[in-house]
Amino acid sequence: MKDGLFEWSNEDEQFFRINPEKKIYFKNLLFLENHYDILIKNTKQFLNGNSANSVLLWGSRGTGKSSLVMSLYYSLKEKFSFSMIEIKFFQINSLPKILRILEKEKQKIIIFCDDFSFQLKDEKFILFKNILEGSLRKNPNIIFYVTSNFRHLVRDKLNNNLKSEIKDANENIVSLSDRFGIWIGFHNFSLDQYIKIIFHYSDFYKLKISKGTIKKKAIEWSIVRGSNSGREALNFVRYMMLEE
């Protein structure tokens, strides 16, 4: 496998190169410096052949989890030889076959699993847990970066008041997230941070609207959308571009 971004096709049972129209660079991701430092240090360790961890990036929707992983590729692709393969949630059952194909690869490979979450009793939960445990033990050239809206990748809420059952359920819930040596948490931005992100994208896209108008409309937008996320900031600016 050559260097690059790839995705897996269940129908063709092979990898296809991805050439995104819009590349994501870290300079356009505000307030994620600490997250980036942790992730890039771990990735450089991995690409240099040293010990590194698979990473779980968890937290609120639209806060930059996926964008941060993708920006990592563009930050490092000129200095290191590696591939990043995106696996979608509905392709989990194909992961054993994918790993068998990759097991002889000597190249460093980051498997990027975006927006994964499970029901506790779902068969995919057990499958993914076993895949992580087995693949990380057998192949030092593969590492997993997984994003999720849930801290332990599990959507279940415990309503049972029996302490013993709650304890058993909790242990099962963390049994998957424990496979990741690093957890990176993402949280909602404050209104002030949200406005700064809005102004950043407004300058980037050269919006010819006064900052006072942009701020007023941006606050209205966040109330209607119910979010101060970076994703909503970008959505807002793109909408305002249509209003010019």
Side-chain angles (χ1 to χ4, degrees):
M1 176 175 287
K2 297 181 180 180
D3 292 4
L5 290 170
F6 296 87
E7 63 182 2
W8 171 260
S9 169
N10 281 354
E11 294 75 17
D12 300 294
E13 296 191 339
Q14 61 178 305
F15 301 108
F16 287 93
R17 184 179 292 274
I18 304 173
N19 294 303
E21 292 184 6
K22 296 179 180 178
K23 297 178 175 60
I24 300 173
Y25 296 101
F26 176 68
K27 64 182 180 181
N28 289 322
L29 302 177
L30 276 61
F31 307 112
L32 297 178
E33 291 83 2
N34 291 338
H35 305 68
Y36 181 76
D37 286 346
I38 295 170
L39 196 59
I40 200 164
K41 286 177 183 177
N42 185 69
T43 308
K44 285 181 177 179
Q45 282 281 103
F46 171 64
L47 297 179
N48 281 319
N50 299 316
S51 178
N53 289 295
S54 283
V55 181
L56 171 62
L57 301 92
W58 67 274
S60 303
R61 58 187 175 86
T63 48
K65 300 182 294 295
S66 303
S67 295
L68 191 64
V69 175
M70 292 302 296
S71 74
L72 197 72
Y73 173 77
Y74 294 107
S75 295
L76 298 173
K77 71 183 185 71
E78 301 298 334
K79 296 180 180 179
F80 296 92
S81 174
F82 72 103
S83 294
M84 182 180 290
I85 301 171
E86 182 177 356
I87 303 297
K88 298 175 177 62
F89 183 73
F90 69 86
Q91 297 175 322
I92 286 179
N93 290 333
S94 296
L95 264 174
K97 179 177 291 186
I98 291 169
L99 291 170
R100 284 196 298 272
I101 294 172
L102 297 176
E103 65 184 5
K104 295 182 180 179
E105 289 284 342
K106 294 183 179 180
Q107 185 187 37
K108 297 295 184 181
I109 297 171
I110 298 172
I111 296 182
F112 173 36
C113 302
D114 191 25
D115 197 20
F116 273 33
S117 64
F118 302 87
Q119 295 291 340
L120 191 56
K121 296 181 180 179
D122 190 342
E123 291 181 0
K124 290 184 175 66
F125 175 86
I126 303 298
L127 174 63
F128 192 55
K129 184 170 67 172
N130 292 338
I131 286 170
L132 276 176
E133 185 176 32
S135 62
L136 299 181
R137 184 177 64 250
K138 295 177 182 177
N139 197 330
N141 292 322
I142 293 176
I143 201 167
F144 283 80
Y145 286 177
V146 179
T147 70
S148 177
N149 292 339
F150 300 88
R151 184 170 184 173
H152 299 293
L153 295 106
V154 175
R155 300 189 297 269
D156 293 57
K157 293 182 178 179
L158 299 177
N159 297 315
N160 198 315
N161 292 321
L162 297 177
K163 291 184 179 180
S164 61
E165 292 188 18
I166 291 177
K167 180 180 178 180
D168 291 343
N170 279 329
E171 288 179 354
N172 198 18
I173 285 173
V174 300
S175 65
L176 174 54
S177 58
D178 277 351
R179 263 65 175 177
F180 297 88
I182 296 175
W183 296 352
I184 304 177
F186 290 68
H187 305 286
N188 286 317
F189 295 118
S190 68
L191 182 59
D192 182 59
Q193 289 174 320
Y194 167 74
I195 295 299
K196 288 180 179 178
I197 296 171
I198 291 284
F199 288 154
H200 173 81
Y201 284 128
S202 297
D203 292 341
F204 182 81
Y205 287 108
K206 298 180 172 60
L207 273 184
K208 297 177 181 178
I209 303 174
S210 72
K211 289 196 172 183
T213 299
I214 289 174
K215 182 176 181 179
K216 178 183 176 182
K217 289 184 175 293
I219 293 172
E220 293 172 354
W221 179 277
S222 71
I223 293 171
V224 171
R225 304 285 285 195
S227 173
N228 293 338
S229 72
R231 179 184 298 159
E232 286 305 331
L234 183 56
N235 287 341
F236 168 76
V237 171
R238 286 173 174 166
Y239 173 78
M240 291 301 292
M241 290 169 66
L242 301 176
E243 296 289 297
E244 282 190 303

